[in-house]
Amino acid sequence: AKVFLGEDIEVGTATVDSVNQLRVIVPPLPQNFLPGWYPIIIENPDGKRSVVQNPGSDPSEQDYENAGWFKYQSAPIITRVTPAESSKDGGEIIRIEGEELYAGAVVRFSVSEAVYTETEDTYLDLATGDILARLPAWDEEKNGSVPEEGLPVDLTVINSDGGSYALENGFNYVIPETSPQVTGISPEFG
């Protein structure tokens, strides 16, 4: 049996595991196709086709899953982060350059899966395709303090469709340099 995703993406010939189960290796999403849900179509050698059920009107992710559709996720790539380091206090806008970066992405700064901070305060620069993200402050109460030499963290972009990419040690939180503060003037006149 041949397997298609939608009418236009031929996956290939399936291996029959049992009367109710086929196995196939899904190729990467072809160029000029968008990530998203695709109906699975099975074509028998006699040309007869079986199509998964329609998920209904205004379907949710769960509706597609329950109907047996296949989801191609985006495959974002990060090529550059500017600036590559900033204060642990956050607030600065950083630019993330790469490919397949989507509006609505979440940007995570992490040491491990359990130790991270993230921001949804992101914008897609339509002229360049870059993500602009407001750097979140490093939560020292939750994640521990930033050492004097700085804290390298992995920077992960998580697109709204679930596709993600992590740039190992892609960003460095640093302790801000102290600025002199005037605490008094002596003499007060002259």
Side-chain angles (χ1 to χ4, degrees):
K2 286 185 180 179
V3 177
F4 297 84
L5 297 174
E7 292 292 332
D8 300 317
I9 303 172
E10 184 173 345
V11 175
T13 303
T15 302
V16 178
D17 286 344
S18 69
V19 174
N20 297 318
Q21 186 173 350
L22 300 175
R23 186 170 15 112
V24 66
I25 297 172
V26 177
L29 183 65
Q31 286 187 332
N32 302 324
F33 284 82
L34 295 174
W37 290 98
Y38 288 84
I40 298 170
I41 300 170
I42 300 167
E43 184 178 281
N44 288 328
D46 64 5
K48 291 186 180 174
R49 289 180 154 209
S50 173
V51 181
V52 294
Q53 65 187 20
N54 186 318
S57 61
D58 195 26
S60 67
E61 294 279 313
Q62 192 63 50
D63 292 334
Y64 278 113
E65 225 172 274
N66 291 342
W69 287 45
F70 179 81
K71 183 178 185 182
Y72 272 111
Q73 290 183 321
S74 61
I77 295 174
I78 300 170
T79 57
R80 185 174 179 197
V81 178
T82 310
E85 73 174 30
S86 190
S87 166
K88 68 181 180 75
D89 298 332
E92 184 169 0
I93 300 293
I94 62 168
R95 179 176 290 273
I96 302 167
E97 298 174 37
E99 298 173 19
E100 288 196 47
L101 303 173
Y102 291 176
V106 172
V107 178
R108 179 175 289 174
F109 303 83
S110 62
V111 174
S112 69
E113 208 168 290
V115 179
Y116 67 88
T117 189
E118 65 185 24
T119 182
E120 293 180 16
D121 189 0
T122 62
Y123 305 91
L124 186 66
D125 181 335
L126 297 177
T128 63
D130 300 342
I131 289 179
L132 304 175
R134 184 169 306 282
L135 181 66
W138 184 253
D139 186 344
E140 292 186 303
E141 190 173 302
K142 174 184 152 195
N143 298 324
S145 61
V146 173
E148 289 260 339
E149 64 275 7
L151 179 67
V153 295
D154 296 344
L155 187 146
T156 304
V157 169
I158 306 163
N159 279 338
S160 55
D161 71 351
S164 67
Y165 181 87
L167 182 61
E168 190 174 328
N169 295 325
F171 190 80
N172 195 36
Y173 274 104
V174 295
I175 296 175
E177 294 181 20
T178 57
S179 300
Q181 294 180 346
V182 177
T183 57
I185 300 175
S186 178
E188 296 177 5
F189 56 91

